[in-house]
Amino acid sequence: MKLKKILAVAGLVIASTVALAACGASKSSSDSNGDQKKTLRVGIMTLDDATEPVWDHIVDAAADKGITIKLTEFTDYNQPNEALQNGEIDVNAFQHVYFLNNWNSENKGDLVVAGNTLLSPIHLFSGTDSDGSAKYKDVKDLPDGATISIPNDGTNESRALVLLQAAGLIKLDVKDGELATIKNITENKKNLDIQEIDASQTAQTLTSVDAAVVNNSYAQSANVDYDTTLYQEDTSQNLSDWVNVIAAQKDWKDSDVADAIKVLLDVYQTDETAQLIYDSSNKVDLPAWDGAPTQKELAADSKKD
């Protein structure tokens, strides 16, 4: 089954928010014949070479279990949770735990985690010259006054600043549980010019900045060369806040699509899906559910192939 045959257009979905909001996710998933219980509407970010093979597999595996998955692609992080809260989709799969919790807090939402998917460590990429080559080979090579672009949404900005701190470029003073902003920078010996950019645009800035922190979903869709990485998150550390999840409405277990969501989780959290996540992301993304294969195991299976 090809995804393009079942993809909804995000713009049309957003335009229908008012009409669908009154129905709610648990009711809008059933038609008069009850057939829609077997259809699950899943919101994701725009498909790319890393994610399309994974969702191709998920769609086919769910179909084998009698569930039709209809994917809706979104172009930025502001849309999928609104669509889920309003009942336009049944679940979404695009965000990490911290982003979900922060969105709930800021929007008086009550979305919940239905299951874990993957961990996508973020990278600090070197800026590039016109021929695509990296301007710098090591984070220590960044000059005084270097310009670095980072995502401007609260959770990803905080994550990016913590990455810069781990790389030895800045120091932060942040209370436990609070998000870091550029105002929390207490030491910036290189006088870095840190520019807050929409996350979807950070990859496009690489030709005009010295370095950029780019979320993997955008790095992969923009074909950013991972060999230009100057620094990345250490996956041996506790990164539980940054585990990506499948999110649902709080009462999803009592909804008409409860069984369909359980099928989605069943077919997602398998060794086959884990290997696809790892291989299709060029060994960047890692499965993050309980019992998932380790990075060492995934690497070994990749060599066999």
Side-chain angles (χ1 to χ4, degrees):
M1 179 186 300
K2 293 299 181 182
L3 293 182
K4 61 184 179 181
K5 294 181 179 179
I6 62 173
L7 291 179
V9 178
L12 294 177
V13 174
I14 297 302
S16 64
T17 299
V18 176
L20 289 170
C23 298
S26 62
K27 299 301 181 184
S28 62
S29 296
S30 295
D31 64 11
S32 58
N33 297 320
D35 293 335
Q36 290 299 316
K37 293 179 184 178
K38 297 185 179 301
T39 298
L40 188 69
R41 302 164 302 167
V42 181
I44 59 173
M45 298 307 293
T46 303
L47 289 165
D48 54 35
D49 290 342
T51 57
E52 187 164 2
V54 176
W55 284 106
D56 259 328
H57 165 68
I58 296 300
V59 168
D60 287 343
D64 289 342
K65 293 179 176 290
I67 299 300
T68 297
I69 290 180
K70 290 188 175 181
L71 296 174
T72 298
E73 294 182 66
F74 294 95
T75 56
D76 70 64
Y77 294 148
N78 295 317
Q79 300 170 340
N81 280 337
E82 292 179 4
L84 178 56
Q85 189 74 46
N86 292 334
E88 301 165 45
I89 54 178
D90 301 308
V91 296
N92 64 42
F94 80 101
Q95 66 193 316
H96 47 63
V97 172
Y98 210 135
F99 188 97
L100 174 62
N101 291 340
N102 189 64
W103 188 90
N104 278 333
S105 176
E106 292 185 349
N107 295 276
K108 297 182 180 179
D110 51 11
L111 305 180
V112 299
V113 173
N116 292 347
T117 57
L118 57 87
L119 174 66
S120 191
I122 58 170
H123 295 237
L124 173 66
F125 294 100
S126 169
T128 55
D129 292 320
S130 57
D131 62 358
S133 60
K135 294 178 182 178
Y136 310 103
K137 300 298 183 184
D138 191 285
V139 70
K140 295 179 181 178
D141 297 334
L142 289 171
D144 287 349
T147 300
I148 299 179
S149 58
I150 64 172
N152 66 359
D153 62 278
T155 54
N156 284 305
E157 176 176 349
S158 180
R159 188 181 185 186
L161 290 171
V162 171
L163 182 71
L164 297 183
Q165 177 174 250
L169 293 171
I170 60 173
K171 288 186 179 180
L172 298 166
D173 182 14
V174 185
K175 295 180 181 179
D176 289 344
E178 290 187 358
L179 294 174
T181 71
I182 56 176
K183 294 180 180 180
N184 297 112
I185 298 174
T186 57
E187 185 177 297
N188 182 4
K189 290 184 177 180
K190 287 194 172 186
N191 295 310
L192 301 174
D193 178 13
I194 299 175
Q195 298 186 356
E196 301 157 292
I197 306 292
D198 186 279
S200 64
Q201 298 302 311
T202 49
Q204 279 65 49
T205 67
L206 285 169
T207 56
S208 59
V209 299
D210 294 291
V213 178
V214 186
N215 294 74
N216 285 317
S217 58
Y218 293 123
Q220 290 160 350
S221 62
N223 295 316
V224 175
D225 184 355
Y226 277 77
D227 287 339
T228 64
T229 296
L230 298 176
Y231 196 81
Q232 71 177 78
E233 281 179 330
D234 182 357
T235 56
S236 68
Q237 302 299 309
N238 180 9
L239 300 177
S240 58
D241 281 342
W242 311 122
V243 169
N244 282 31
V245 298
I246 293 172
Q249 292 193 351
K250 67 175 183 178
D251 59 351
W252 73 267
K253 291 182 179 179
D254 298 319
S255 73
D256 291 333
V257 290
D259 289 342
I261 294 175
K262 291 174 183 177
V263 167
L264 172 62
L265 295 174
D266 286 344
V267 299
Y268 199 111
Q269 297 177 342
T270 65
D271 289 355
E272 184 176 358
T273 303
Q275 196 68 50
L276 278 170
I277 289 170
Y278 183 68
D279 291 338
S280 63
S281 67
N282 293 318
K283 303 174 177 58
V284 173
D285 295 340
L286 302 171
W289 55 87
D290 289 343
T294 65
Q295 185 172 7
K296 184 177 180 180
E297 292 170 335
L298 294 167
D301 284 341
S302 291
K303 290 180 179 179
K304 292 177 184 178
D305 296 336

